[in-house]
Amino acid sequence: MSVHPGVRVLMLLAVSVSVLMADSWLALGLFAAALVAVALAMRVPGGKLLRLMVPAVPFVVLAVVFGMLGFDPAAGMVVTGDSLIGSLQIGARLLVLFAASGLFCLTSTAEEQMCGLRSLLSPFGKLGLPVDDVAVTLSLALRFIPQTLDQLQRVRMAQKCRGAQLDCGSAGARLKANAQCFVPLFVGMFRRADVLSQAMDARCYGGADRRSSLVRHQMGPKSVFALIGTVLLCVVVALL
């Protein structure tokens, strides 16, 4: 019996909030060790998880570089010891967050993600919130992130085959050359969204008041233990 999708979403939210609030290397190390243990238990290939985190590396580098610069009234923008340690902790937080999100995506299908979001948002259905539509929208947004990154790589390869100098020249020249990749990228995204809307319309999406799943997810002992373990980990980190 696997962990309930709603519990997985709660675990990801709890870990994300705790990682953002963690202010020690020991706390970040505990979260990293927990993620490694979960990846080994779920038999997630390490190479696949690392490839999923590769697009996040530029954002981490930029966060570290900008966080490294401190302001001195006499010397202006300088690199200090405190700013260096703080910037490295920011980069570590981002890496742990991206690893947790990637692990969640690799261990949960789109149907499980939608089911988890639906179960968590179900109390708001009594207030008139379209829970099913919100869950489908969020799950599709998560599903489109890796596809968009893959489409961007294909566009870049196509531009390079046509002689575009995307990795040569000054920073401004590279930025201008890479900006040309976003036009075909957005065209492909809108085309994919149009095909998806036609497929959903052909399957009569929205024609029924309630939608069900082929798989019934139940809250079992493994889900309870996983949630309790995550909460205890977050509490221990908060006390460090």
Side-chain angles (χ1 to χ4, degrees):
M1 183 183 297
S2 61
V3 180
H4 191 276
V7 174
R8 297 182 191 179
V9 178
L10 286 177
M11 292 169 60
L12 179 61
L13 291 176
V15 169
S16 300
V17 174
S18 300
V19 168
L20 292 176
M21 297 178 62
D23 56 355
S24 65
W25 290 105
L26 179 58
L28 295 176
L30 288 176
F31 278 119
L35 291 178
V36 171
V38 172
L40 292 176
M42 300 295 292
R43 297 181 180 179
V44 176
K48 193 173 183 179
L49 181 59
L50 292 177
R51 287 194 299 270
L52 191 63
M53 293 176 59
V54 167
V57 173
F59 298 99
V60 175
V61 173
L62 288 177
V64 171
V65 171
F66 283 105
M68 193 181 302
L69 299 177
F71 181 74
D72 188 355
M77 301 299 293
V78 295
V79 178
T80 62
D82 294 336
S83 63
L84 178 60
I85 296 176
S87 63
L88 292 177
Q89 284 187 350
I90 292 175
R93 288 193 190 98
L94 292 177
L95 287 176
V96 173
L97 284 176
F98 282 119
S101 302
L103 190 61
F104 172 75
C105 294
L106 291 176
T107 56
S108 303
T109 62
E111 191 273 337
E112 290 176 341
Q113 295 171 11
M114 184 178 62
C115 179
L117 293 172
R118 184 191 303 167
S119 62
L120 292 180
L121 296 175
S122 57
F124 297 96
K126 299 179 180 180
L127 302 177
L129 180 69
V131 175
D132 290 334
D133 295 336
V134 173
V136 170
T137 302
L138 293 177
S139 63
L140 288 178
L142 292 175
R143 187 68 176 177
F144 268 89
I145 291 176
Q147 293 185 1
T148 303
L149 294 175
D150 182 67
Q151 182 69 20
L152 178 60
Q153 295 297 327
R154 293 184 180 183
V155 172
R156 284 176 53 86
M157 291 298 297
Q159 294 289 340
K160 288 181 179 180
C161 292
R162 293 177 174 85
Q165 302 295 327
L166 301 180
D167 301 324
C168 301
S170 61
R174 292 197 300 269
L175 182 61
K176 184 178 180 180
N178 283 274
Q180 299 177 359
C181 298
F182 287 95
V183 175
L185 175 65
F186 284 120
V187 171
M189 290 173 58
F190 283 115
R191 184 181 296 114
R192 186 181 294 111
D194 184 62
V195 173
L196 178 62
S197 64
Q198 293 180 6
M200 295 175 67
D201 184 64
R203 290 166 175 80
C204 299
Y205 178 82
D209 295 334
R210 295 183 179 180
R211 282 172 289 275
S212 60
S213 175
L214 295 177
V215 181
R216 294 297 182 90
H217 301 279
Q218 297 180 355
M219 182 72 72
K222 184 181 293 187
S223 301
V224 176
F225 291 149
L227 183 58
I228 293 176
T230 303
V231 173
L232 289 178
L233 176 62
C234 296
V235 171
V236 170
V237 170
L239 295 177
L240 291 179

